[in-house]
Amino acid sequence: MVGQNKGKKRGASSHEAPAEKAPLFPKSKGIDVPSDPEYSSDDDEEVEEGDFDEMLKEMANDQGIDSDDANDYIAGDSLDEEEEEEGDDESDIHSSDIEGASSEDGDDESEDGEDPEESDNEEDSSLERVASRSTDGQHTAVDSQNEAEGSGEEELDEVNMDKLTIRDFVGDIQGWKEYRKTLPQIDAGYASDSSTEDPANTIGNVPIEWYEDYPHIGYDIDGKRILKPATADELDKFLANMDDPDVFRTARDEVNQQDVKLSEEEIDIIRRIQGGNIPDADYNPYEETVEWFTSKTMQMPLSGAPLAKRGFIPSKWEHKRVMKIVRAIRQGRITRSGAPSQDTKPRFYDVWEKAEENDDDNTHQKRMARRARMPAPRLALPSHDESYHPPAEYLPSEAERQSWLDEDPDHRKKNYLPQDFGSLRSVPGYERFVQERFQRCLDLYLAPRMLKRTTQLNAEELMPKLPDPRDLRPFPSVESLVYLGHTGRVRSISVDPTGLWLLSGSDDGTVRLWEIVSGRCAKIWDLKETVHMVAWCPSADVCVFAAAAGSRTVIVIPSELCDEHKRLLSEELVRAGFNSAAQAEEGEEEDDSLPVSWDMPTSAEQATGIHVSVTMHKTVKSVMWHRRGDYLATLTAEEGGSSVLIHQVSKHKSQRPFRKLKGAVQSIMFHPTKPWFLVATQRYVRIYNLMQQALIKTLQPGVKWISSIDVHPQGDNVIVGSYDKKLSWFDLDLSVKPYRSIRYHRQAIRQVQYSRKFPLFATTSDDGTIQVYHGMVYQDLNQNPLIVPLKILRGHEIRNSLGVLDCVFHPIQPWLISSGADGTIRLWT
């Protein structure tokens, strides 16, 4: 404790005792003064046992006694034998011996040169101040035996006993030690010396979440890891909380990784904050007002007497001062103030005026721009009510005027009242002109301002960086061949899986078979009605196509195009339904509610290759094959669930997958890889799982009327065309909203089509153009598809506001075949 309180010494010259005053402590001989074990440490200064002289010196310095007096105490008479025996007993030195009696160095008082007598007079007051710092609230009493040894000293009352110091026991060291035993020991609690606490977290203001997966929470000053304290699992925490009565007043200190028990004061502060009260319980928000500036009128020492005459007489002293300056100027001791010479350096200069040699021009220009003058913002233009002759509706009424006058000036919306003067010459001077200008200067000087510079961007810089179309070849760009022969609109075309033959259906009621390479028409089927759709069977084992003409769908086998083996397989697939007697034996009849009938064609139609005719009640608008070649889906013009039907060709059976459909169906399609079925209404595209018979998701293109849909060969992307000129690309794994919306066509989009081999897709429109895009879908799911416009193909004519009606990619080559309302079919290579 002595070593810890060495820094708390104060001046002791004010407490110096007279020279003839008897020494307070006799010379010690063999007195053991044990140190306080609670505060002793290896870092403190070591004092050997029995070396009581050094201890007395330090205690005397701590109590404000000069070093000379301490030497006198040591040099005093020796203790008698009885006192030595009593001094051999161990005595505790309490911390309050030097806690409240610490004083500054004695040199401060001695430098002031005060008289020793004046310091003696101040001794009592200093003693009271020192004694007031001792332990409060602990009432003790001096033993009766010590009172008897006081040799006639005055009896101390109970209050003063709490504030006794070593100076009150003059010449009685044993009484002082007995008195110190009666005082309680200091309990090193929460507010004790910080050296007894655990080392706190030294990593600074770093989020503890960074170390959640590590066994440490930072590093100490030596670079070693600070390990986390051992933590129990949740079950141990729960059991400990059940046994701990103070669990609800314990908070977790995440920075130091320890639990801190809240004191009553801290809990009281938390409750006050939760209740919306002032955290400090001792704070009084309703204290009496202190009038820092008096409200009473003060009499100022000003006089209204006329100025004296001497104030108008020239001063002789000023005349002498001026003449002295004139003589100095004539003698050359004072020169005229002019421009400083080149040798003299200015007092203030710009340290960044000369940039470094390696400093580039852009950095220098930015630095000069930062030093450029910032112009003041312009004032707002005056309004109508600021005119000297405003309209009558801008003039305030008497109630408004009185309300404006009664309002606080800081809360007024306007700092003026509109007034009406008859003419401009009757307008008085503005009395608040100087104040307003001064306030504006303060705003410009004090308010922070920033100069915003706009960036000039070109339209090309805002466009996304896309690859050059020449690097994305091959894609169709040139018209190579025109197929002529149809006399009406060619509504639909289809290419067989081998890529050699092309089918086309037209409003003239015929289906034509074309050789793609030569453009020769190989065969014609006359179906007597408008052909809305033709579609080859995608299976490579058979040679079959379907054509929708009017209200019936015919299945045709062109025997001229296939060998004998493929022809037999095709006929077996188509005629197997007629030869099967299972349905008749079991007594199952077709559902009468289904508007479907499987009929045997006439002999004339059989001669042309038509083997089956599926008749319906309404006009068939679309025909789609399943990828396996046995199922066929048709779309009719009627509303409700009966508009979409799925037919099994091998068994001649038809079924209705939907009992009820919301909205008019525009297009249907089988998914190329999964058992899904896509149904497009006017505004939405719904995807159904045919095996689970459930709705998977609903795509929302955000268009008014959908015209066509197509699915990417990989099956994860869908494009949707609409009559409101918009193309929507959907990523099925990403969202039900479009990944990209494109609007390049000027008229309605009629058809959209993916290429089955190349990363291409195309759109046809009523504006007579075909737009070809590059649509690369990557195997990496984290990479978005790349969509690049490649080419606009023009060649079809517009007839009756209709342009290109259908298009299809070649299954092997990067070719595109299109058909339009002008009755032509064109090949683009």
Side-chain angles (χ1 to χ4, degrees):
M1 294 300 294
V2 175
Q4 294 179 357
N5 293 276
K6 276 187 176 183
K8 300 183 179 179
K9 298 177 182 179
R10 297 191 177 179
S13 60
S14 61
H15 305 292
E16 288 182 356
E20 61 274 14
K21 192 171 181 179
L24 299 181
F25 301 102
K27 186 175 181 180
S28 62
K29 293 182 179 179
I31 299 177
D32 297 335
V33 182
S35 59
D36 194 346
E38 185 177 357
Y39 293 93
S40 63
S41 62
D42 296 337
D43 298 333
D44 297 335
E45 297 182 2
E46 296 182 359
V47 179
E48 297 180 359
E49 286 191 8
D51 191 1
F52 194 53
D53 299 340
E54 295 296 333
M55 183 70 70
L56 290 179
K57 285 182 181 181
E58 295 178 0
M59 292 178 62
N61 289 332
D62 295 337
Q63 294 298 325
I65 304 174
D66 197 0
S67 61
D68 296 335
D69 295 339
N71 294 330
D72 294 341
Y73 302 153
I74 300 171
D77 297 335
S78 62
L79 294 173
D80 44 295
E81 297 179 10
E82 181 179 358
E83 291 176 349
E84 289 180 2
E85 293 177 357
E86 295 175 358
D88 292 336
D89 299 334
E90 294 183 358
S91 61
D92 297 334
I93 303 300
H94 200 272
S95 63
S96 62
D97 295 347
I98 54 178
E99 179 183 359
S102 61
S103 59
E104 300 176 358
D105 295 337
D107 298 337
D108 300 335
E109 295 288 349
S110 61
E111 291 177 1
D112 297 338
E114 292 184 358
D115 202 10
E117 295 179 358
E118 296 178 1
S119 63
D120 292 339
N121 296 334
E122 296 176 358
E123 183 176 356
D124 297 335
S125 61
S126 300
L127 181 59
E128 292 178 1
R129 290 193 302 270
V130 171
S132 63
R133 299 184 183 182
S134 61
T135 308
D136 297 337
Q138 299 174 1
H139 301 285
T140 60
V142 180
D143 191 82
S144 61
Q145 181 181 356
N146 297 335
E147 292 179 358
E149 294 176 0
S151 66
E153 295 181 356
E154 295 181 2
E155 184 179 0
L156 301 177
D157 55 357
E158 187 178 359
V159 178
N160 292 331
M161 291 295 291
D162 301 341
K163 303 177 181 179
L164 294 181
T165 62
I166 193 172
R167 305 184 67 89
D168 297 334
F169 296 86
V170 180
D172 187 7
I173 183 62
Q174 188 63 26
W176 166 251
K177 292 194 296 182
E178 293 296 334
Y179 166 69
R180 295 311 301 156
K181 291 181 180 180
T182 60
L183 295 179
Q185 294 293 327
I186 294 178
D187 182 15
Y190 181 74
S192 179
D193 188 6
S194 61
S195 63
T196 62
E197 298 177 358
D198 294 334
N201 185 10
T202 59
I203 64 175
N205 189 14
V206 176
I208 300 299
E209 293 82 4
W210 293 0
Y211 298 97
E212 286 182 354
D213 300 333
Y214 296 93
H216 62 284
I217 55 170
Y219 303 87
D220 57 5
I221 193 171
D222 298 328
K224 298 181 179 179
R225 295 182 179 180
I226 301 175
L227 298 180
K228 292 182 180 178
T231 57
D233 55 5
E234 296 298 330
L235 181 57
D236 293 341
K237 290 181 181 179
F238 174 74
L239 296 178
N241 293 339
M242 294 299 293
D243 298 336
D244 189 4
D246 298 329
V247 64
F248 295 103
R249 56 188 305 169
T250 304
R252 179 69 177 176
D253 186 1
E254 294 294 343
V255 176
N256 294 321
Q257 295 289 314
Q258 62 184 359
D259 294 334
V260 179
K261 181 179 178 181
L262 301 179
S263 61
E264 294 294 340
E265 293 78 3
E266 293 171 340
I267 293 176
D268 182 62
I269 291 174
I270 294 175
R271 289 174 179 172
R272 285 178 170 275
I273 293 175
Q274 289 179 346
N277 300 327
I278 298 174
D280 190 0
D282 298 334
Y283 177 75
N284 183 15
Y286 306 105
E287 293 182 355
E288 297 294 336
T289 303
V290 179
E291 292 190 1
W292 301 102
F293 302 97
T294 179
S295 60
K296 299 178 182 180
T297 304
M298 300 178 64
Q299 299 295 332
M300 304 302 294
L302 299 177
S303 175
L307 297 176
K309 185 179 180 180
R310 61 179 177 273
F312 299 93
I313 298 175
S315 175
K316 293 181 180 181
W317 182 87
E318 291 180 357
H319 177 69
K320 292 180 180 181
R321 181 66 178 169
V322 171
M323 292 306 299
K324 183 179 180 180
I325 296 174
V326 170
R327 285 194 296 269
I329 293 174
R330 290 175 180 176
Q331 295 173 4
R333 291 184 285 108
I334 299 179
T335 59
R336 295 180 58 187
S337 60
S341 61
Q342 297 180 356
D343 298 336
T344 60
K345 293 183 179 180
R347 183 179 179 186
F348 305 104
Y349 58 92
D350 187 6
V351 297
W352 301 105
E353 183 177 1
K354 294 182 179 180
E356 297 179 359
E357 296 180 357
N358 56 356
D359 195 3
D360 54 352
D361 296 339
N362 295 334
T363 307
H364 182 67
Q365 292 177 0
K366 293 179 180 178
R367 188 181 296 111
M368 296 299 294
R370 287 197 296 266
R371 295 202 300 264
R373 175 180 173 273
M374 186 181 297
R378 297 182 180 180
L379 288 174
L381 296 177
S383 57
H384 294 289
D385 55 359
E386 295 184 68
S387 173
Y388 73 93
H389 184 58
E393 58 269 15
Y394 290 98
L395 295 176
S397 61
E398 189 62 29
E400 294 175 349
R401 181 186 297 273
Q402 188 62 33
S403 175
W404 185 86
L405 293 174
D406 295 340
E407 194 174 6
D408 187 83
D410 295 337
H411 297 160
R412 293 172 180 171
K413 295 182 180 179
K414 298 179 181 179
N415 57 356
Y416 63 91
L417 273 177
Q419 299 182 17
D420 187 11
F421 299 96
S423 60
L424 188 58
R425 63 176 177 272
S426 61
V427 178
Y430 186 43
E431 67 278 2
R432 298 185 68 252
F433 176 78
V434 178
Q435 288 84 350
E436 284 191 355
R437 289 295 161 181
F438 178 69
Q439 291 295 332
R440 174 165 171 77
C441 291
L442 287 182
D443 292 340
L444 296 178
Y445 171 67
L446 297 176
R449 293 184 294 143
M450 182 176 62
L451 188 62
K452 290 186 178 181
R453 300 185 180 276
T454 59
T455 305
Q456 301 295 334
L457 297 177
N458 298 329
E460 298 178 356
E461 297 178 359
L462 299 177
M463 296 295 293
K465 302 300 180 182
L466 297 177
D468 191 355
R470 290 176 294 182
D471 301 335
L472 302 177
R473 293 176 180 174
F475 58 86
S477 58
V478 179
E479 180 182 333
S480 299
L481 195 61
V482 179
Y483 305 91
L484 300 176
H486 284 290
T487 57
R489 303 169 184 165
V490 183
R491 293 182 175 269
S492 176
I493 54 178
S494 180
V495 182
D496 74 321
T498 61
L500 299 176
W501 305 96
L502 171 69
L503 282 175
S504 62
S506 173
D507 285 354
D508 56 6
T510 61
V511 175
R512 292 177 179 262
L513 179 65
W514 307 85
E515 189 178 5
I516 295 179
V517 177
S518 62
R520 177 179 62 89
C521 182
K523 194 172 184 179
I524 301 175
W525 289 271
D526 189 4
L527 301 180
K528 309 297 182 181
E529 293 183 86
T530 301
V531 180
H532 292 278
M533 194 75 176
V534 291
W536 280 97
C537 180
S539 178
D541 297 335
V542 296
C543 182
V544 178
F545 72 88
S551 61
R552 68 171 185 160
T553 301
V554 295
I555 299 176
V556 184
I557 301 176
S559 57
E560 300 87 355
L561 308 180
C562 54
D563 54 7
E564 187 68 19
H565 177 68
K566 185 177 292 186
R567 184 179 64 81
L568 292 176
L569 290 177
S570 302
E571 292 180 356
E572 183 181 358
L573 172 67
V574 173
R575 294 180 175 273
F578 295 113
N579 299 330
S580 177
Q583 180 177 355
E585 292 177 357
E586 296 174 0
E588 297 180 359
E589 298 293 339
E590 290 287 339
D591 190 358
D592 296 337
S593 61
L594 289 179
V596 180
S597 62
W598 293 78
D599 301 327
M600 182 74 70
T602 61
S603 58
E605 293 178 345
Q606 291 181 5
T608 59
I610 300 176
H611 289 72
V612 178
S613 174
V614 184
T615 307
M616 304 177 193
H617 295 172
K618 297 290 183 180
T619 302
V620 181
K621 298 192 300 181
S622 178
V623 176
M624 289 292 170
W625 284 92
H626 191 263
R627 64 181 182 276
R628 294 184 179 179
D630 190 18
Y631 290 93
L632 185 71
T634 59
L635 173 64
T636 59
E638 63 179 323
E639 296 181 358
S642 300
S643 60
V644 179
L645 298 176
I646 297 179
H647 315 276
Q648 188 175 4
V649 180
S650 60
K651 295 183 178 180
H652 291 187
K653 286 186 178 181
S654 302
Q655 57 181 342
R656 180 173 55 190
F658 309 106
R659 293 185 179 273
K660 187 183 298 184
L661 285 174
K662 297 180 180 179
V665 181
Q666 303 297 317
S667 180
I668 57 175
M669 177 167 289
F670 286 101
H671 196 275
T673 59
K674 298 179 182 180
W676 292 357
F677 190 66
L678 283 75
V679 178
T681 59
Q682 288 187 2
R683 293 180 179 270
Y684 304 102
V685 178
R686 294 181 174 89
I687 303 177
Y688 298 92
N689 192 323
L690 296 179
M691 295 183 65
Q692 299 178 0
Q693 299 182 3
L695 175 66
I696 298 177
K697 62 178 62 178
T698 302
L699 305 182
Q700 303 175 11
V703 298
K704 296 180 180 179
W705 200 304
I706 296 175
S707 61
S708 57
I709 59 173
D710 195 14
V711 184
H712 194 270
Q714 296 181 4
D716 294 335
N717 296 269
V718 177
I719 51 176
V720 178
S722 64
Y723 291 114
D724 49 356
K725 317 170 192 176
K726 187 182 294 184
L727 171 69
S728 300
W729 178 296
F730 287 90
D731 190 344
L732 299 182
D733 297 333
L734 186 64
S735 174
V736 297
K737 298 295 181 66
Y739 160 70
R740 184 71 58 83
S741 294
I742 302 174
R743 187 172 181 176
Y744 291 158
H745 284 290
R746 293 177 295 176
Q747 297 295 331
I749 296 177
R750 289 287 176 177
Q751 183 66 22
V752 293
Q753 187 72 27
Y754 274 114
S755 174
R756 299 296 182 246
K757 187 175 182 180
F758 296 92
L760 300 172
F761 69 96
T763 60
T764 63
S765 174
D766 285 341
D767 57 4
T769 62
I770 306 167
Q771 294 186 4
V772 182
Y773 299 85
H774 175 84
M776 173 61 73
V777 178
Y778 300 95
Q779 297 294 335
D780 187 4
L781 299 179
N782 295 327
Q783 192 170 1
N784 294 328
L786 177 62
I787 302 174
V788 182
L790 295 178
K791 187 70 175 179
I792 299 178
L793 306 178
R794 293 181 175 89
H796 287 275
E797 297 180 1
I798 300 175
R799 302 282 180 87
N800 299 327
S801 301
L802 296 177
V804 185
L805 301 180
D806 194 9
C807 68
V808 63
F809 278 96
H810 195 275
I812 300 174
Q813 300 293 336
W815 298 348
L816 180 67
I817 305 173
S818 62
S819 63
D822 55 355
T824 62
I825 304 171
R826 300 175 186 268
L827 173 64
W828 309 88
T829 61

